[in-house]
Amino acid sequence: MELRFPFDPVEKSTEAESLVMKDKKRLYHRFRPAPYYGGIATADAIGCSFLCAYCWNYYRNLDPSRFESFYSSQQVASRLLNIARRKHFNLFRITGSEPILGEASFDHLIEVVKTIFKEKPHSVFILETNGFFLGWREDLIEKLKFQNLWVRVSLKGVDEGSFELITGARGEFFQYPLIALKELENQEIKAWPAIMRNLFTSEEITQLRGFIEKYGIKSQLEQETLEEYPLVIENLNKRKVLIKS
Ligand code: SF4
C-alpha cells in the first residue's frame, strides 16, 4: 500500500477495509490474555484508518495485504471466550487496529460483541477506537447500545497540527473523534476520551481538556503512557514526533 503523508483517512479506511475484510471475516494477528484493565481477553486485529507514529502494530497496519489469517465473528468470539474461561477474565477487547473501518468491519464487530454477551451476559466489552469512522458515520452509533459495551476514544492530537503529525491523516479530520464522543454521550453509551500524555506538555493537555469541555463532552480524559518499544521510538524519530514528558 503506497502511502503519502498527510493522507485522507476516509480513503485509507476504505482501502484498509477492502484488505482486512473477506466474506464477513476479518484479518487478525493473534488472540491472547493481556494484563491491561486488570486482565482482559484480547484479539489483535489488523488494519487502521490512521498510521500513528507510535503504533506498536505499525508495519502490519501499513501493509495488511501480507497477511492471510481471516476469522469469522463466531471464531473470534469463541477464541476470546476460551481465553476468558481459562484466565477467569470478565473483560474483552479488540486492539492493535481500528475495529471500525466501514460497514463490513462494523457489522463483524457487532456480531463478535453479540456472541460474547450471549455467552457471558455480565461481561464488559471495551471498544478501543480512534473514533474517526464513528464520527464520520454518526448514524452507526445507536447500534453500539449494549448495556456493557464501553467505548474508549483515543484522540491522538490536541489540535489539527499535532493530530496530522501523529496520525499521518490530514489535520482537518481532527474533530471527528470528538463528534463521535459527543454522539456516544447523547446516546447514553459509556464512553471517554484518551490521549498519549508523553507526546504533549501539561499545558497542551490542559488546552485539550478545555477544548473537550467546550465541545460539550462531559467524560474525563484518560492519560495513557507510551510503551517505548524500539520500533515505536524509531518511528517517532522518523516522523519527527517528540516525547515531551
Ligand atoms: S489508531 Fe491505533 S491502531 Fe490505528 S495506527 Fe493509531 S495507534 Fe495504531
mmCIF file of all heavy atoms in Angstrom, residues 130-176:
data_model
loop_
_atom_site.group_PDB
_atom_site.id
_atom_site.type_symbol
_atom_site.label_atom_id
_atom_site.label_comp_id
_atom_site.label_asym_id
_atom_site.label_seq_id
_atom_site.Cartn_x
_atom_site.Cartn_y
_atom_site.Cartn_z
ATOM 1 N N ASN A 130 -10.198 4.738 17.422
ATOM 2 C CA ASN A 130 -9.667 6.101 17.215
ATOM 3 C C ASN A 130 -10.824 7.071 16.955
ATOM 4 O O ASN A 130 -10.605 8.273 16.804
ATOM 5 C CB ASN A 130 -8.631 6.132 16.083
ATOM 6 C CG ASN A 130 -9.199 5.754 14.719
ATOM 7 O OD1 ASN A 130 -10.353 6.020 14.408
ATOM 8 N ND2 ASN A 130 -8.359 5.138 13.891
ATOM 9 N N GLY A 131 -12.043 6.562 16.896
ATOM 10 C CA GLY A 131 -13.244 7.407 16.824
ATOM 11 C C GLY A 131 -13.501 8.042 15.471
ATOM 12 O O GLY A 131 -14.529 8.708 15.293
ATOM 13 N N PHE A 132 -12.576 7.850 14.519
ATOM 14 C CA PHE A 132 -12.728 8.576 13.260
ATOM 15 C C PHE A 132 -13.992 8.146 12.498
ATOM 16 O O PHE A 132 -14.851 8.969 12.172
ATOM 17 C CB PHE A 132 -11.488 8.406 12.361
ATOM 18 C CG PHE A 132 -11.763 8.886 10.982
ATOM 19 C CD1 PHE A 132 -11.985 10.235 10.760
ATOM 20 C CD2 PHE A 132 -11.918 8.005 9.924
ATOM 21 C CE1 PHE A 132 -12.333 10.702 9.501
ATOM 22 C CE2 PHE A 132 -12.259 8.459 8.667
ATOM 23 C CZ PHE A 132 -12.460 9.811 8.461
ATOM 24 N N PHE A 133 -14.126 6.847 12.237
ATOM 25 C CA PHE A 133 -15.255 6.414 11.408
ATOM 26 C C PHE A 133 -16.588 6.623 12.130
ATOM 27 O O PHE A 133 -17.598 6.945 11.509
ATOM 28 C CB PHE A 133 -15.078 4.956 10.954
ATOM 29 C CG PHE A 133 -15.936 4.634 9.766
ATOM 30 C CD1 PHE A 133 -15.557 5.002 8.487
ATOM 31 C CD2 PHE A 133 -17.153 3.994 9.927
ATOM 32 C CE1 PHE A 133 -16.372 4.738 7.384
ATOM 33 C CE2 PHE A 133 -17.971 3.717 8.837
ATOM 34 C CZ PHE A 133 -17.579 4.091 7.565
ATOM 35 N N LEU A 134 -16.575 6.466 13.455
ATOM 36 C CA LEU A 134 -17.812 6.676 14.224
ATOM 37 C C LEU A 134 -18.260 8.136 14.151
ATOM 38 O O LEU A 134 -19.447 8.430 14.174
ATOM 39 C CB LEU A 134 -17.613 6.264 15.681
ATOM 40 C CG LEU A 134 -17.650 4.776 15.978
ATOM 41 C CD1 LEU A 134 -17.424 4.537 17.463
ATOM 42 C CD2 LEU A 134 -18.979 4.149 15.540
ATOM 43 N N GLY A 135 -17.279 9.060 14.078
ATOM 44 C CA GLY A 135 -17.632 10.483 13.924
ATOM 45 C C GLY A 135 -18.081 10.780 12.501
ATOM 46 O O GLY A 135 -18.968 11.595 12.266
ATOM 47 N N TRP A 136 -17.446 10.121 11.548
ATOM 48 C CA TRP A 136 -17.771 10.306 10.124
ATOM 49 C C TRP A 136 -19.161 9.749 9.813
ATOM 50 O O TRP A 136 -19.897 10.308 9.012
ATOM 51 C CB TRP A 136 -16.696 9.586 9.296
ATOM 52 C CG TRP A 136 -16.797 9.727 7.823
ATOM 53 C CD1 TRP A 136 -17.238 8.783 6.938
ATOM 54 C CD2 TRP A 136 -16.437 10.872 7.039
ATOM 55 N NE1 TRP A 136 -17.166 9.272 5.654
ATOM 56 C CE2 TRP A 136 -16.678 10.555 5.689
ATOM 57 C CE3 TRP A 136 -15.932 12.144 7.357
ATOM 58 C CZ2 TRP A 136 -16.426 11.440 4.650
ATOM 59 C CZ3 TRP A 136 -15.685 13.035 6.325
ATOM 60 C CH2 TRP A 136 -15.932 12.687 4.993
ATOM 61 N N ARG A 137 -19.504 8.618 10.467
ATOM 62 C CA ARG A 137 -20.798 7.954 10.248
ATOM 63 C C ARG A 137 -21.528 7.822 11.590
ATOM 64 O O ARG A 137 -21.723 6.722 12.097
ATOM 65 C CB ARG A 137 -20.568 6.569 9.636
ATOM 66 C CG ARG A 137 -20.216 6.578 8.150
ATOM 67 C CD ARG A 137 -21.429 6.867 7.286
ATOM 68 N NE ARG A 137 -22.569 6.039 7.639
ATOM 69 C CZ ARG A 137 -22.768 4.787 7.187
ATOM 70 N NH1 ARG A 137 -21.927 4.262 6.343
ATOM 71 N NH2 ARG A 137 -23.824 4.106 7.576
ATOM 72 N N GLU A 138 -21.914 8.992 12.130
ATOM 73 C CA GLU A 138 -22.601 9.031 13.439
ATOM 74 C C GLU A 138 -23.829 8.131 13.506
ATOM 75 O O GLU A 138 -24.228 7.695 14.583
ATOM 76 C CB GLU A 138 -23.107 10.449 13.695
ATOM 77 C CG GLU A 138 -22.114 11.422 14.209
ATOM 78 C CD GLU A 138 -22.794 12.774 14.305
ATOM 79 O OE1 GLU A 138 -22.789 13.505 13.302
ATOM 80 O OE2 GLU A 138 -23.348 13.068 15.374
ATOM 81 N N ASP A 139 -24.460 7.891 12.333
ATOM 82 C CA ASP A 139 -25.695 7.095 12.316
ATOM 83 C C ASP A 139 -25.463 5.664 12.821
ATOM 84 O O ASP A 139 -26.399 4.985 13.232
ATOM 85 C CB ASP A 139 -26.270 7.039 10.890
ATOM 86 C CG ASP A 139 -25.268 6.486 9.891
ATOM 87 O OD1 ASP A 139 -24.199 7.089 9.711
ATOM 88 O OD2 ASP A 139 -25.556 5.417 9.302
ATOM 89 N N LEU A 140 -24.199 5.199 12.802
ATOM 90 C CA LEU A 140 -23.911 3.832 13.258
ATOM 91 C C LEU A 140 -23.938 3.710 14.783
ATOM 92 O O LEU A 140 -24.083 2.623 15.334
ATOM 93 C CB LEU A 140 -22.523 3.384 12.768
ATOM 94 C CG LEU A 140 -22.332 3.238 11.252
ATOM 95 C CD1 LEU A 140 -20.879 2.903 10.943
ATOM 96 C CD2 LEU A 140 -23.252 2.149 10.694
ATOM 97 N N ILE A 141 -23.774 4.853 15.470
ATOM 98 C CA ILE A 141 -23.530 4.816 16.913
ATOM 99 C C ILE A 141 -24.664 4.147 17.693
ATOM 100 O O ILE A 141 -24.424 3.413 18.650
ATOM 101 C CB ILE A 141 -23.186 6.230 17.442
ATOM 102 C CG1 ILE A 141 -21.760 6.585 16.960
ATOM 103 C CG2 ILE A 141 -23.309 6.330 18.963
ATOM 104 C CD1 ILE A 141 -21.264 7.957 17.317
ATOM 105 N N GLU A 142 -25.910 4.348 17.262
ATOM 106 C CA GLU A 142 -27.032 3.760 18.027
ATOM 107 C C GLU A 142 -26.932 2.227 18.083
ATOM 108 O O GLU A 142 -27.449 1.600 18.998
ATOM 109 C CB GLU A 142 -28.378 4.210 17.471
ATOM 110 C CG GLU A 142 -28.639 3.735 16.067
ATOM 111 C CD GLU A 142 -30.018 4.148 15.572
ATOM 112 O OE1 GLU A 142 -30.777 4.750 16.348
ATOM 113 O OE2 GLU A 142 -30.316 3.851 14.400
ATOM 114 N N LYS A 143 -26.234 1.627 17.100
ATOM 115 C CA LYS A 143 -26.105 0.162 17.102
ATOM 116 C C LYS A 143 -25.108 -0.320 18.159
ATOM 117 O O LYS A 143 -24.930 -1.518 18.366
ATOM 118 C CB LYS A 143 -25.671 -0.326 15.720
ATOM 119 C CG LYS A 143 -26.714 -0.082 14.650
ATOM 120 C CD LYS A 143 -26.314 -0.708 13.335
ATOM 121 C CE LYS A 143 -27.328 -0.352 12.264
ATOM 122 N NZ LYS A 143 -26.792 -0.445 10.924
ATOM 123 N N LEU A 144 -24.425 0.620 18.820
ATOM 124 C CA LEU A 144 -23.468 0.250 19.882
ATOM 125 C C LEU A 144 -24.127 0.240 21.258
ATOM 126 O O LEU A 144 -23.455 0.150 22.277
ATOM 127 C CB LEU A 144 -22.290 1.228 19.897
ATOM 128 C CG LEU A 144 -21.361 1.183 18.675
ATOM 129 C CD1 LEU A 144 -20.344 2.307 18.746
ATOM 130 C CD2 LEU A 144 -20.649 -0.161 18.580
ATOM 131 N N LYS A 145 -25.461 0.362 21.263
ATOM 132 C CA LYS A 145 -26.172 0.404 22.555
ATOM 133 C C LYS A 145 -26.313 -0.978 23.149
ATOM 134 O O LYS A 145 -27.331 -1.651 22.956
ATOM 135 C CB LYS A 145 -27.546 1.038 22.360
ATOM 136 C CG LYS A 145 -27.513 2.537 22.365
ATOM 137 C CD LYS A 145 -28.917 3.092 22.482
ATOM 138 C CE LYS A 145 -28.876 4.471 23.119
ATOM 139 N NZ LYS A 145 -30.040 4.815 23.836
ATOM 140 N N PHE A 146 -25.299 -1.437 23.828
ATOM 141 C CA PHE A 146 -25.355 -2.670 24.615
ATOM 142 C C PHE A 146 -25.100 -2.220 26.049
ATOM 143 O O PHE A 146 -24.285 -1.310 26.277
ATOM 144 C CB PHE A 146 -24.234 -3.639 24.211
ATOM 145 C CG PHE A 146 -24.357 -4.176 22.812
ATOM 146 C CD1 PHE A 146 -23.772 -3.503 21.757
ATOM 147 C CD2 PHE A 146 -25.043 -5.358 22.567
ATOM 148 C CE1 PHE A 146 -23.866 -4.001 20.467
ATOM 149 C CE2 PHE A 146 -25.134 -5.860 21.286
ATOM 150 C CZ PHE A 146 -24.542 -5.180 20.229
ATOM 151 N N GLN A 147 -25.705 -2.894 26.996
ATOM 152 C CA GLN A 147 -25.576 -2.444 28.379
ATOM 153 C C GLN A 147 -24.116 -2.382 28.844
ATOM 154 O O GLN A 147 -23.711 -1.467 29.534
ATOM 155 C CB GLN A 147 -26.377 -3.371 29.289
ATOM 156 C CG GLN A 147 -26.629 -2.707 30.623
ATOM 157 C CD GLN A 147 -27.399 -3.611 31.561
ATOM 158 O OE1 GLN A 147 -27.890 -4.664 31.160
ATOM 159 N NE2 GLN A 147 -27.489 -3.211 32.804
ATOM 160 N N ASN A 148 -23.321 -3.379 28.448
ATOM 161 C CA ASN A 148 -21.946 -3.452 28.951
ATOM 162 C C ASN A 148 -20.897 -3.251 27.866
ATOM 163 O O ASN A 148 -19.837 -3.849 27.914
ATOM 164 C CB ASN A 148 -21.707 -4.796 29.631
ATOM 165 C CG ASN A 148 -22.471 -4.885 30.924
ATOM 166 O OD1 ASN A 148 -22.748 -3.865 31.556
ATOM 167 N ND2 ASN A 148 -22.833 -6.091 31.311
ATOM 168 N N LEU A 149 -21.195 -2.407 26.899
ATOM 169 C CA LEU A 149 -20.173 -2.045 25.916
ATOM 170 C C LEU A 149 -19.691 -0.638 26.253
ATOM 171 O O LEU A 149 -20.488 0.301 26.316
ATOM 172 C CB LEU A 149 -20.730 -2.093 24.494
ATOM 173 C CG LEU A 149 -19.648 -1.813 23.430
ATOM 174 C CD1 LEU A 149 -19.763 -2.807 22.286
ATOM 175 C CD2 LEU A 149 -19.759 -0.419 22.871
ATOM 176 N N TRP A 150 -18.409 -0.510 26.524
ATOM 177 C CA TRP A 150 -17.811 0.782 26.860
ATOM 178 C C TRP A 150 -16.904 1.191 25.711
ATOM 179 O O TRP A 150 -16.221 0.333 25.128
ATOM 180 C CB TRP A 150 -16.974 0.688 28.133
ATOM 181 C CG TRP A 150 -17.705 0.209 29.350
ATOM 182 C CD1 TRP A 150 -19.062 0.017 29.488
ATOM 183 C CD2 TRP A 150 -17.113 -0.150 30.602
ATOM 184 N NE1 TRP A 150 -19.351 -0.445 30.749
ATOM 185 C CE2 TRP A 150 -18.168 -0.557 31.463
ATOM 186 C CE3 TRP A 150 -15.821 -0.158 31.085
ATOM 187 C CZ2 TRP A 150 -17.951 -0.973 32.764
ATOM 188 C CZ3 TRP A 150 -15.585 -0.577 32.387
ATOM 189 C CH2 TRP A 150 -16.641 -0.973 33.217
ATOM 190 N N VAL A 151 -16.853 2.491 25.437
ATOM 191 C CA VAL A 151 -16.092 2.955 24.273
ATOM 192 C C VAL A 151 -14.984 3.920 24.714
ATOM 193 O O VAL A 151 -15.256 4.966 25.307
ATOM 194 C CB VAL A 151 -17.011 3.650 23.240
ATOM 195 C CG1 VAL A 151 -16.224 3.948 21.964
ATOM 196 C CG2 VAL A 151 -18.229 2.796 22.926
ATOM 197 N N ARG A 152 -13.763 3.521 24.398
ATOM 198 C CA ARG A 152 -12.610 4.378 24.733
ATOM 199 C C ARG A 152 -12.114 4.993 23.428
ATOM 200 O O ARG A 152 -11.658 4.272 22.533
ATOM 201 C CB ARG A 152 -11.519 3.520 25.359
ATOM 202 C CG ARG A 152 -10.252 4.224 25.706
ATOM 203 C CD ARG A 152 -9.312 3.153 26.259
ATOM 204 N NE ARG A 152 -8.065 3.680 26.738
ATOM 205 C CZ ARG A 152 -7.000 3.836 25.962
ATOM 206 N NH1 ARG A 152 -7.046 3.550 24.679
ATOM 207 N NH2 ARG A 152 -5.892 4.291 26.481
ATOM 208 N N VAL A 153 -12.212 6.326 23.336
ATOM 209 C CA VAL A 153 -11.853 7.010 22.086
ATOM 210 C C VAL A 153 -10.478 7.660 22.239
ATOM 211 O O VAL A 153 -10.294 8.588 23.027
ATOM 212 C CB VAL A 153 -12.915 8.084 21.724
ATOM 213 C CG1 VAL A 153 -12.529 8.791 20.427
ATOM 214 C CG2 VAL A 153 -14.296 7.446 21.582
ATOM 215 N N SER A 154 -9.521 7.176 21.465
ATOM 216 C CA SER A 154 -8.153 7.695 21.553
ATOM 217 C C SER A 154 -8.038 8.913 20.631
ATOM 218 O O SER A 154 -8.212 8.795 19.419
ATOM 219 C CB SER A 154 -7.199 6.580 21.116
ATOM 220 O OG SER A 154 -5.895 7.029 21.254
ATOM 221 N N LEU A 155 -7.741 10.086 21.239
ATOM 222 C CA LEU A 155 -7.823 11.346 20.483
ATOM 223 C C LEU A 155 -6.593 11.671 19.636
ATOM 224 O O LEU A 155 -6.659 12.491 18.750
ATOM 225 C CB LEU A 155 -8.122 12.507 21.420
ATOM 226 C CG LEU A 155 -9.512 12.497 22.046
ATOM 227 C CD1 LEU A 155 -9.702 13.712 22.931
ATOM 228 C CD2 LEU A 155 -10.605 12.445 20.996
ATOM 229 N N LYS A 156 -5.463 11.140 19.933
ATOM 230 C CA LYS A 156 -4.241 11.268 19.108
ATOM 231 C C LYS A 156 -3.560 12.640 19.120
ATOM 232 O O LYS A 156 -2.349 12.729 19.148
ATOM 233 C CB LYS A 156 -4.487 10.873 17.650
ATOM 234 C CG LYS A 156 -5.182 9.540 17.464
ATOM 235 C CD LYS A 156 -4.344 8.423 18.005
ATOM 236 C CE LYS A 156 -5.010 7.092 17.884
ATOM 237 N NZ LYS A 156 -4.339 6.081 18.671
ATOM 238 N N GLY A 157 -4.329 13.728 19.033
ATOM 239 C CA GLY A 157 -3.719 15.060 18.994
ATOM 240 C C GLY A 157 -4.498 16.030 19.857
ATOM 241 O O GLY A 157 -5.634 15.743 20.256
ATOM 242 N N VAL A 158 -3.878 17.198 20.136
ATOM 243 C CA VAL A 158 -4.583 18.222 20.919
ATOM 244 C C VAL A 158 -5.146 19.301 20.004
ATOM 245 O O VAL A 158 -5.906 20.171 20.438
ATOM 246 C CB VAL A 158 -3.653 18.868 21.978
ATOM 247 C CG1 VAL A 158 -3.208 17.836 22.999
ATOM 248 C CG2 VAL A 158 -2.440 19.544 21.344
ATOM 249 N N ASP A 159 -4.730 19.265 18.726
ATOM 250 C CA ASP A 159 -5.222 20.214 17.729
ATOM 251 C C ASP A 159 -4.965 19.616 16.345
ATOM 252 O O ASP A 159 -4.416 18.514 16.232
ATOM 253 C CB ASP A 159 -4.535 21.587 17.889
ATOM 254 C CG ASP A 159 -3.013 21.469 17.887
ATOM 255 O OD1 ASP A 159 -2.486 20.454 17.366
ATOM 256 O OD2 ASP A 159 -2.349 22.371 18.401
ATOM 257 N N GLU A 160 -5.321 20.354 15.298
ATOM 258 C CA GLU A 160 -5.185 19.799 13.944
ATOM 259 C C GLU A 160 -3.735 19.452 13.607
ATOM 260 O O GLU A 160 -3.450 18.452 12.963
ATOM 261 C CB GLU A 160 -5.731 20.794 12.910
ATOM 262 C CG GLU A 160 -7.236 20.934 12.980
ATOM 263 C CD GLU A 160 -7.830 21.670 11.784
ATOM 264 O OE1 GLU A 160 -7.073 22.010 10.848
ATOM 265 O OE2 GLU A 160 -9.053 21.902 11.802
ATOM 266 N N GLY A 161 -2.800 20.332 14.045
ATOM 267 C CA GLY A 161 -1.388 20.130 13.701
ATOM 268 C C GLY A 161 -0.830 18.860 14.326
ATOM 269 O O GLY A 161 -0.202 18.033 13.654
ATOM 270 N N SER A 162 -1.055 18.686 15.628
ATOM 271 C CA SER A 162 -0.489 17.506 16.302
ATOM 272 C C SER A 162 -1.215 16.233 15.844
ATOM 273 O O SER A 162 -0.612 15.168 15.715
ATOM 274 C CB SER A 162 -0.549 17.650 17.830
ATOM 275 O OG SER A 162 -1.858 17.906 18.268
ATOM 276 N N PHE A 163 -2.503 16.348 15.544
ATOM 277 C CA PHE A 163 -3.260 15.201 15.031
ATOM 278 C C PHE A 163 -2.644 14.732 13.707
ATOM 279 O O PHE A 163 -2.401 13.544 13.492
ATOM 280 C CB PHE A 163 -4.725 15.624 14.837
ATOM 281 C CG PHE A 163 -5.584 14.630 14.096
ATOM 282 C CD1 PHE A 163 -6.222 13.597 14.767
ATOM 283 C CD2 PHE A 163 -5.770 14.742 12.721
ATOM 284 C CE1 PHE A 163 -7.028 12.680 14.082
ATOM 285 C CE2 PHE A 163 -6.562 13.832 12.026
ATOM 286 C CZ PHE A 163 -7.194 12.802 12.713
ATOM 287 N N GLU A 164 -2.353 15.697 12.819
ATOM 288 C CA GLU A 164 -1.792 15.343 11.498
ATOM 289 C C GLU A 164 -0.398 14.735 11.642
ATOM 290 O O GLU A 164 -0.069 13.725 11.018
ATOM 291 C CB GLU A 164 -1.755 16.587 10.599
ATOM 292 C CG GLU A 164 -1.226 16.296 9.210
ATOM 293 C CD GLU A 164 -1.436 17.448 8.237
ATOM 294 O OE1 GLU A 164 -2.585 17.900 8.053
ATOM 295 O OE2 GLU A 164 -0.435 17.905 7.656
ATOM 296 N N LEU A 165 0.412 15.346 12.509
ATOM 297 C CA LEU A 165 1.788 14.859 12.705
ATOM 298 C C LEU A 165 1.783 13.421 13.245
ATOM 299 O O LEU A 165 2.540 12.568 12.786
ATOM 300 C CB LEU A 165 2.516 15.783 13.684
ATOM 301 C CG LEU A 165 3.966 15.439 13.974
ATOM 302 C CD1 LEU A 165 4.833 15.699 12.740
ATOM 303 C CD2 LEU A 165 4.499 16.252 15.160
ATOM 304 N N ILE A 166 0.915 13.155 14.209
ATOM 305 C CA ILE A 166 0.934 11.849 14.886
ATOM 306 C C ILE A 166 0.221 10.766 14.083
ATOM 307 O O ILE A 166 0.729 9.659 13.941
ATOM 308 C CB ILE A 166 0.351 11.989 16.314
ATOM 309 C CG1 ILE A 166 1.341 12.773 17.173
ATOM 310 C CG2 ILE A 166 0.059 10.622 16.948
ATOM 311 C CD1 ILE A 166 0.809 13.285 18.475
ATOM 312 N N THR A 167 -0.957 11.093 13.528
ATOM 313 C CA THR A 167 -1.721 10.033 12.832
ATOM 314 C C THR A 167 -1.313 9.859 11.374
ATOM 315 O O THR A 167 -1.564 8.808 10.787
ATOM 316 C CB THR A 167 -3.237 10.352 12.812
ATOM 317 O OG1 THR A 167 -3.422 11.558 12.054
ATOM 318 C CG2 THR A 167 -3.802 10.512 14.203
ATOM 319 N N GLY A 168 -0.738 10.909 10.765
ATOM 320 C CA GLY A 168 -0.454 10.869 9.331
ATOM 321 C C GLY A 168 -1.660 11.283 8.502
ATOM 322 O O GLY A 168 -1.552 11.486 7.295
ATOM 323 N N ALA A 169 -2.835 11.409 9.144
ATOM 324 C CA ALA A 169 -4.069 11.803 8.432
ATOM 325 C C ALA A 169 -4.191 13.331 8.414
ATOM 326 O O ALA A 169 -3.679 14.006 9.313
ATOM 327 C CB ALA A 169 -5.285 11.192 9.128
ATOM 328 N N ARG A 170 -4.888 13.868 7.418
ATOM 329 C CA ARG A 170 -4.965 15.324 7.288
ATOM 330 C C ARG A 170 -5.637 15.961 8.509
ATOM 331 O O ARG A 170 -6.637 15.456 9.014
ATOM 332 C CB ARG A 170 -5.747 15.702 6.020
ATOM 333 C CG ARG A 170 -5.028 15.286 4.743
ATOM 334 C CD ARG A 170 -5.338 16.226 3.579
ATOM 335 N NE ARG A 170 -6.737 16.419 3.359
ATOM 336 C CZ ARG A 170 -7.459 15.764 2.422
ATOM 337 N NH1 ARG A 170 -6.879 14.883 1.646
ATOM 338 N NH2 ARG A 170 -8.732 16.028 2.275
ATOM 339 N N GLY A 171 -5.050 17.096 8.946
ATOM 340 C CA GLY A 171 -5.488 17.763 10.171
ATOM 341 C C GLY A 171 -6.952 18.128 10.212
ATOM 342 O O GLY A 171 -7.563 18.157 11.283
ATOM 343 N N GLU A 172 -7.534 18.397 9.045
ATOM 344 C CA GLU A 172 -8.941 18.841 9.026
ATOM 345 C C GLU A 172 -9.890 17.768 9.578
ATOM 346 O O GLU A 172 -11.044 18.064 9.879
ATOM 347 C CB GLU A 172 -9.339 19.208 7.591
ATOM 348 C CG GLU A 172 -9.470 18.016 6.679
ATOM 349 C CD GLU A 172 -9.049 18.289 5.230
ATOM 350 O OE1 GLU A 172 -7.925 18.760 4.997
ATOM 351 O OE2 GLU A 172 -9.857 17.998 4.347
ATOM 352 N N PHE A 173 -9.410 16.520 9.731
ATOM 353 C CA PHE A 173 -10.260 15.434 10.249
ATOM 354 C C PHE A 173 -10.171 15.293 11.777
ATOM 355 O O PHE A 173 -10.759 14.388 12.341
ATOM 356 C CB PHE A 173 -9.897 14.103 9.574
ATOM 357 C CG PHE A 173 -10.261 14.066 8.105
ATOM 358 C CD1 PHE A 173 -9.323 14.410 7.144
ATOM 359 C CD2 PHE A 173 -11.541 13.724 7.705
ATOM 360 C CE1 PHE A 173 -9.659 14.401 5.792
ATOM 361 C CE2 PHE A 173 -11.886 13.712 6.358
ATOM 362 C CZ PHE A 173 -10.942 14.048 5.398
ATOM 363 N N PHE A 174 -9.436 16.192 12.415
ATOM 364 C CA PHE A 174 -9.208 16.145 13.869
ATOM 365 C C PHE A 174 -10.499 16.045 14.690
ATOM 366 O O PHE A 174 -10.557 15.372 15.720
ATOM 367 C CB PHE A 174 -8.421 17.404 14.278
ATOM 368 C CG PHE A 174 -8.370 17.685 15.747
ATOM 369 C CD1 PHE A 174 -7.727 16.820 16.615
ATOM 370 C CD2 PHE A 174 -8.974 18.835 16.272
ATOM 371 C CE1 PHE A 174 -7.673 17.084 17.981
ATOM 372 C CE2 PHE A 174 -8.926 19.110 17.629
ATOM 373 C CZ PHE A 174 -8.270 18.227 18.485
ATOM 374 N N GLN A 175 -11.552 16.739 14.219
ATOM 375 C CA GLN A 175 -12.747 16.847 15.064
ATOM 376 C C GLN A 175 -13.635 15.590 15.050
ATOM 377 O O GLN A 175 -14.508 15.457 15.901
ATOM 378 C CB GLN A 175 -13.576 18.042 14.609
ATOM 379 C CG GLN A 175 -12.755 19.320 14.643
ATOM 380 C CD GLN A 175 -13.497 20.508 15.215
ATOM 381 O OE1 GLN A 175 -14.611 20.365 15.685
ATOM 382 N NE2 GLN A 175 -12.879 21.664 15.194
ATOM 383 N N TYR A 176 -13.442 14.694 14.114
ATOM 384 C CA TYR A 176 -14.376 13.555 14.002
ATOM 385 C C TYR A 176 -14.435 12.667 15.257
ATOM 386 O O TYR A 176 -15.526 12.255 15.674
ATOM 387 C CB TYR A 176 -14.120 12.752 12.726
ATOM 388 C CG TYR A 176 -14.663 13.504 11.537
ATOM 389 C CD1 TYR A 176 -13.838 14.350 10.801
ATOM 390 C CD2 TYR A 176 -16.006 13.443 11.201
ATOM 391 C CE1 TYR A 176 -14.337 15.092 9.749
ATOM 392 C CE2 TYR A 176 -16.522 14.188 10.146
ATOM 393 C CZ TYR A 176 -15.681 15.009 9.428
ATOM 394 O OH TYR A 176 -16.184 15.763 8.401
#
